[in-house]
Amino acid sequence: MTHSRIAGTGSYLPTKILSNKDLETMVDTTDEWIFTRTGIRERHIAAPDELTSDLATAAAKNAIESAGINVDEIDLIIVATTTPDKIFPSVATMVQKKIGASNCPAFDIQAVCSGFVYGISIASNFIKAGASKCVLVIGADTFSRITDYTDRSNCILWGDGAGAIILQASQEQGVISTHIHADGNFETMLHVPRKDNGTDTVMMEGSAVFRMAVNTLDQIVDETLAANNMQKSDIDWLVPHQANVRILQATAKKLDMSMDKVVVTVDKHGNTSAASIPLALDTAVRDGRIKRGEVLLMEAFGGGFTWGSALVRY
Ligand SMILES: CC(C)(COP(=O)(O)OP(=O)(O)OC[C@H]1O[C@@H](n2cnc3c(N)ncnc32)[C@H](O)[C@@H]1OP(=O)(O)O)[C@@H](O)C(=O)NCCC(=O)NCCS
């Protein structure tokens, strides 16, 4: 059977930083409240002329370089995003143009904060089916463009960024299993309703979403371990979606894992939606924490609701 392995990782963050102190001048909040409730200190914000596809392209170029492949080898591009440059064409086709990869299929997927886990799942199944050999999977979002900066319970959370991996066909097992779910019954707990004037922004029932996220991620941990007959102690690293450090702590507790085995970037990145897992992965690969052969559990929960996990031997 053909397996798939992560051949390289990359990421990109816009230059501008929006700190909690900056937010204190914009809404009625404090650095202390934000940090205590969320673990966030700062987040990056895209420049006015910087598109989601620009962030995605920069991350993709890093991943291509780290994998040591030629652009021509990429035979599928998947971008997970909720904030495309335009309604169409897709961000994936814009990335294809910007990196100079011609003629391969390219499409976006929209599973909000779970988008990257959905992306790995789709990519590894394309490889398993023999339809692709070298897939560029990107998570990229510019949530600052759909954030209401007068809503203090919401605007403190989001940041912009992009992360990418190259997933290649391999004889060795890299992706061990993926598990993806959705339940549209919770539509209005976390959504961006259409407004006539075009100022569509994120609306969230924060504390209800928080409780749902913790409970659902508990279940996805059990499901992933049971599917592979594995124990909690078999996981070397938790590389979670970065929504709120208290959600990360709850999942670590569920795994009997100390926080130094959890890759935490939410303090510096905020919640970058589909970009958060590949950004965290690339951070910990580049700083030498995550090493080849180690087992990583990636998991996410987001609007829809959608949720899922990917268990990967790096
Ligand atoms: C948004 C979130 C940080 C809010 O934290 P919380 O502890 O649930 O806080 P609450 O919404 O219950 O609000 C508590 C109080 O703080 C106030 N508050 C809200 N935002 C505030 C801010 N930025 N600064 C100061 N006070 C604030 C509220 O008005 C409320 O005041 P009240 O008690 O006088 O009514 C938290 O609910 C959260 O992280 N939710 C889930 C995020 C998530 O996972 N998102 C989606 C998955 S991708």
Side-chain angles (χ1 to χ4, degrees), residues 31 33 36 40 74 129 164 213 283 289 300 307 309:
D31 172 42
W33 191 96
T36 311
I40 302 169
I74 295 168
T283 302
R289 271 179 290 170
W307 64 99
S309 68

Side-chain angles (χ1 to χ4, degrees), residues 82-302:
T82 304
T83 47
D85 304 0
K86 302 176 177 184
I87 290 176
F88 73 82
S90 67
V91 174
T93 56
M94 295 302 95
V95 170
Q96 185 198 47
K97 176 179 77 169
K98 290 176 184 180
I99 63 173
S102 54
N103 240 333
C104 66
F107 57 85
D108 289 359
I109 53 169
Q110 214 276 46
V112 205
C113 298
S114 312
F116 186 73
V117 168
Y118 268 63
I120 292 198
S121 186
I122 295 165
S124 63
N125 280 308
F126 264 73
I127 290 173
K128 210 184 287 175
S132 308
K133 287 195 170 61
C134 184
V135 188
L136 171 59
V137 187
I138 304 171
D141 267 309
T142 48
F143 258 55
S144 65
R145 302 224 158 95
I146 53 166
T147 295
D148 174 358
Y149 284 99
T150 64
D151 176 0
R152 69 173 182 171
S153 65
N154 203 303
C155 69
I156 53 155
L157 299 170
W158 311 104
D160 300 337
I165 60 167
I166 297 289
L167 201 68
Q168 257 182 339
S170 159
Q171 292 310 309
E172 291 160 43
Q173 190 185 49
V175 176
I176 300 167
S177 70
T178 60
H179 308 264
I180 53 175
H181 298 276
D183 186 345
N185 284 305
F186 296 96
E187 174 194 354
T188 55
M189 275 169 107
L190 173 52
H191 65 146
V192 180
R194 287 272 190 223
K195 286 189 203 146
D196 289 341
N197 63 5
T199 56
D200 307 338
T201 51
V202 182
M203 303 186 73
M204 177 170 70
E205 295 173 32
S207 44
V209 172
F210 184 96
R211 284 193 299 277
M212 285 289 299
V214 170
N215 291 336
T216 310
L217 292 170
D218 248 38
Q219 290 162 25
I220 202 79
V221 166
D222 287 337
E223 180 186 334
T224 311
L225 292 174
N228 297 292
N229 230 341
M230 286 171 81
Q231 311 299 316
K232 294 172 180 177
S233 55
D234 294 327
I235 311 289
D236 294 306
W237 291 98
L238 181 63
V239 188
H241 168 52
Q242 313 277 324
N244 184 319
V245 78
R246 292 186 293 135
I247 299 177
L248 276 54
Q249 286 160 346
T251 311
K253 195 169 165 210
K254 164 81 183 171
L255 280 163
D256 299 329
M257 191 177 247
S258 72
M259 281 305 284
D260 58 4
K261 296 308 255 175
V262 182
V263 182
V264 180
T265 51
V266 70
D267 54 334
K268 293 203 153 53
H269 301 173
N271 182 345
T272 57
S273 196
S276 90
I277 292 177
L279 265 164
L281 174 66
D282 188 50
T283 302
V285 164
R286 282 177 197 262
D287 70 20
R289 271 179 290 170
I290 293 180
K291 297 189 177 57
R292 286 285 174 198
E294 290 183 320
V295 175
L296 324 178
L297 176 61
M298 306 181 210
E299 43 77 352
F301 179 87

Side-chain angles (χ1 to χ4, degrees), residues 50-64:
E50 215 172 17
L51 303 172
T52 297
S53 66
D54 295 323
L55 275 53
T57 299
K61 285 181 177 170
N62 285 340
I64 291 164

